[in-house]
Amino acid sequence: MTNIAHSYVVASPNNAPSLGRCGGFVAQYPQDAFHLPARSTSVAEARRRVSALLREWGADQQVRDDVELVVSEVFTNAIRHTDSEKIGCEVALVGAHIRIEITDEGGPGASAPHVQPGSVDKECGRGLFLVGALSDGWGSRPTGNGRGRVVWADLPYTGTATR
């Protein structure tokens, strides 16, 4: 399996404001990040990794289930709608929320994700509707190099981890 995995507790410049910048320092939160090849078999691996991490952090089962679903949907979209060779996944416990960020490498025609009209009744295309229903907020931004995109979602956290 080709992947890069690491854990860290530092905020990157792109997400520092959402991680709670206080005065001259950034508060530290439990975080993890990894990259997987951009292929359909990686979606299940991403779900497993995120679920195991949240179990370590003491997240309730419902939180783990919701986060797994959101990771599945956004990771799948990154594979289907970009020319990425790898997809990044970052998870952070920020106060009363789990922040998920999925990063792709973009490609020709890659655009910002949006909920498709009438997607609730369709078998395909309702992923972002589900992301919106499960999260307190979600959105996207270009990556630092402008070629790819980061799709993020904040889900409510309940569990025993210290914040």
Side-chain angles (χ1 to χ4, degrees):
M1 177 183 330
T2 306
N3 61 62
I4 301 168
H6 60 280
S7 293
Y8 55 91
V9 193
V10 240
S12 72
N14 286 341
N15 61 9
S18 65
L19 293 178
R21 186 173 277 288
C22 301
F25 73 98
V26 176
Q28 295 185 354
Y29 299 95
Q31 293 187 331
D32 193 53
F34 57 88
H35 291 90
L36 294 170
R39 54 180 186 240
S40 59
T41 55
S42 294
V43 177
E45 177 65 18
R47 272 195 316 264
R48 279 190 295 275
R49 285 179 179 231
V50 169
S51 184
L53 178 67
L54 294 178
R55 194 174 299 111
E56 280 181 33
W57 290 352
D60 294 342
Q61 183 64 50
Q62 186 62 54
V63 171
R64 293 194 314 261
D65 291 346
D66 290 351
V67 170
E68 280 185 46
L69 180 56
V70 169
V71 166
S72 291
E73 295 298 337
V74 179
F75 210 96
T76 298
N77 283 350
I79 292 168
R80 285 186 180 168
H81 302 293
T82 71
D83 291 337
S84 300
E85 289 185 24
K86 65 180 179 179
I87 307 294
C89 181
E90 197 170 328
V91 183
L93 177 57
V94 183
H97 288 91
I98 296 288
R99 163 61 63 103
I100 302 162
E101 294 188 353
I102 305 294
T103 304
D104 65 53
E105 298 173 319
S111 61
H114 59 280
V115 176
Q116 304 217 354
S119 61
V120 176
D121 299 326
K122 297 178 184 175
E123 185 171 322
C124 200
R126 62 181 165 202
L128 292 177
F129 175 81
L130 293 171
V131 170
L134 294 172
S135 65
D136 286 343
W138 74 276
S140 71
R141 66 179 185 272
T143 58
N145 66 11
R147 180 165 148 50
R149 181 156 299 281
V150 177
V151 178
W152 60 268
D154 289 333
L155 282 79
Y157 172 84
T158 54
T160 59
T162 55
R163 289 171 271 211

